[in-house]
Amino acid sequence: MKYFNLYLVIFISLLNAVDLQCTHLGRVYEPDVSFPKGDACNVCKCGDSGNVRCTDRRCHQYPKCRHNGKMYDAGSRFPSRDGCNECICTTIGVPQCTMYNCYPDCTYNGQTYKKGDIFPKGDKCNNYCTCTVIGKVQCAEDLSCYLS
């Protein structure tokens, strides 16, 4: 019994001398280390005895936006239904979209081109054309090759 009490005193002394780690959401933290609680607004701290203490502030969760059958988080950007404008999910849960005019792709010599495409004009001078953002074809007119 005398040795048991001695071992018990040594064991308790060792426990008091060693700081215990904390585990929170599957991660291990050292004593006196602060870390996020996991709710995007509160913070936790690992205590010397291995206990975790967290702030308990009420988190403000912004509503999501529903657009074209999909859900989006506040602040996220996504294409509008028309395919040429862009939307953003506002913090009140209402999508707000740009309202630019949508123009068709360009057609030139029977070929269809997307806005911004550059393609050969097909002339003797090797001029190039561009499909503009308003769906019109604009071609360079360098005629110097005809003069030589």
Side-chain angles (χ1 to χ4, degrees):
M1 191 70 171
K2 179 168 108 175
Y3 290 109
F4 175 75
N5 288 339
L6 179 62
Y7 288 126
L8 186 60
V9 168
I10 292 171
F11 179 73
I12 290 172
S13 297
L14 287 174
L15 280 179
N16 288 336
V18 175
D19 290 332
L20 299 175
Q21 296 175 323
C22 301
T23 303
H24 181 73
L25 298 177
R27 297 190 75 179
V28 177
Y29 299 94
E30 297 296 323
D32 293 327
V33 171
S34 296
F35 49 91
K37 183 177 180 181
D39 59 6
C41 61
N42 284 289
V43 178
C44 298
K45 187 171 184 177
C46 179
D48 290 337
S49 61
N51 63 324
V52 175
R53 292 186 179 227
C54 302
T55 59
D56 198 21
R57 287 187 226 120
R58 188 167 169 238
C59 299
H60 181 74
Q61 297 292 329
Y62 292 112
K64 294 182 181 273
C65 295
R66 179 181 298 277
H67 184 73
N68 212 20
K70 294 182 181 177
M71 297 300 290
Y72 297 94
D73 292 326
S76 62
R77 295 179 179 275
F78 47 92
S80 68
R81 286 186 179 107
D82 60 22
C84 65
N85 281 288
E86 183 181 54
C87 302
I88 188 168
C89 180
T90 64
T91 56
I92 59 172
V94 177
Q96 192 163 15
C97 303
T98 58
M99 297 180 63
Y100 299 117
N101 289 329
C102 299
Y103 294 99
D105 293 331
C106 299
T107 303
Y108 184 77
N109 287 341
Q111 293 273 359
T112 301
Y113 298 95
K114 300 260 183 230
K115 292 170 204 62
D117 283 354
I118 299 172
F119 48 92
K121 182 177 180 182
D123 63 358
K124 181 181 171 189
C125 293
N126 294 322
N127 285 308
Y128 279 85
C129 300
T130 303
C131 179
T132 66
V133 294
I134 60 170
K136 301 284 184 202
V137 174
Q138 188 172 30
C139 297
E141 295 296 330
D142 180 9
L143 304 177
S144 63
C145 69
Y146 289 108
L147 302 174
S148 45

